[in-house]
Amino acid sequence: MKGSRAWLVVLMWGLVPVAAGCTADGAARAGSSAGASVTASASPSCARGAIHWVRTTKETELLAVSPVVEVAKTDGKVRFAFSPVRSVTPAVEVNDASVSDGRVFAALARRLDVDASVLRKPSSEQQQTGSEIDFLGAAGRFVEARGADVVRASFTVDCPAANPVHGSVTGYYGSSGASLQCGVDPGKAGGKASWVREAYDMTCGRS
């Protein structure tokens, strides 16, 4: 069917002369269409717009925790194996594709005075599989926990001839560790952070 229709159009062009006025009008339309296409493709990019930070928060989140281990005073070094609780995935979310992840991480790194490669550290590199702790002289039921120091920030990006672009970023900037003894309230022992309490409640049970 499509082949017949194409042949009919060619035949009509061959038999019917086109008036000069129509040809000019057609050219004008084509020119108008081409101009619109060029204008759209040349729309201003937000790629180099200034980044303005709206809010930045830092918090340690529990990454992994060990099972409870019974330790005797004569045990000395004790091996703790970690089980993962969660992972942290560095990422940028922004509503304009011209704003690159690399540029956002670089700007955040300057703001925090850290290396951008640290902020973008993959989750697999954050996770620890275990640790060895010297408990010589101590006795009781102990737990080891590891946390990821996480930064989250929201931002806007200046965009030429348009409203500012909005976005958010999550990054990793360090790790933390805690050694907990079941039966000893972590809050009273100085571990008031929520991730420490989470590790204690998960392993030793709520006190």
Side-chain angles (χ1 to χ4, degrees):
M1 188 67 178
K2 290 183 178 179
S4 300
R5 186 177 301 168
W7 173 84
L8 180 60
V9 171
V10 172
L11 181 61
M12 290 176 64
W13 274 101
L15 295 177
V16 182
V18 179
C22 293
T23 304
D25 181 58
R29 288 179 185 175
S32 174
S33 175
S37 176
V38 170
T39 301
S41 64
S43 59
S45 170
C46 307
R48 296 186 179 182
I51 296 176
H52 305 283
W53 298 103
V54 179
R55 185 183 180 192
T56 304
T57 61
K58 297 178 182 178
E59 185 178 7
T60 303
E61 298 182 7
L62 182 63
L63 272 190
V65 68
S66 75
V68 176
V69 176
E70 292 278 358
V71 178
K73 288 186 177 181
T74 57
D75 281 349
K77 291 185 178 181
V78 178
R79 179 75 180 176
F80 290 83
F82 291 112
S83 296
V85 175
R86 64 175 58 86
S87 61
V88 177
T89 305
V92 174
E93 293 185 7
V94 63
N95 58 357
D96 191 293
S98 68
V99 181
S100 71
D101 291 5
R103 184 164 180 264
V104 173
F105 275 115
L108 183 60
R110 289 192 297 270
R111 178 176 175 80
L112 300 176
D113 194 24
V114 298
D115 193 318
S117 63
V118 173
L119 290 175
R120 303 185 72 166
K121 194 173 184 181
S123 300
S124 59
E125 293 182 24
Q126 301 163 11
Q127 188 65 59
Q128 295 187 28
T129 58
S131 64
E132 195 172 61
I133 310 294
D134 191 348
F135 279 93
L136 186 62
R141 300 170 66 239
F142 290 90
V143 170
E144 289 294 311
R146 291 293 178 268
D149 302 327
V150 182
V151 58
R152 290 185 172 85
S154 56
F155 60 88
T156 62
V157 182
D158 291 341
C159 195
N163 292 327
V165 168
H166 299 273
S168 62
V169 55
T170 299
Y172 166 88
Y173 70 97
S175 60
S176 298
S179 183
L180 310 172
Q181 183 174 5
C182 295
V184 178
D185 189 330
K188 294 179 180 178
K192 296 182 179 180
S194 60
W195 74 276
V196 175
R197 168 58 69 179
E198 181 185 5
Y200 184 93
D201 292 345
M202 187 178 293
T203 52
C204 297
R206 293 184 179 273
S207 56

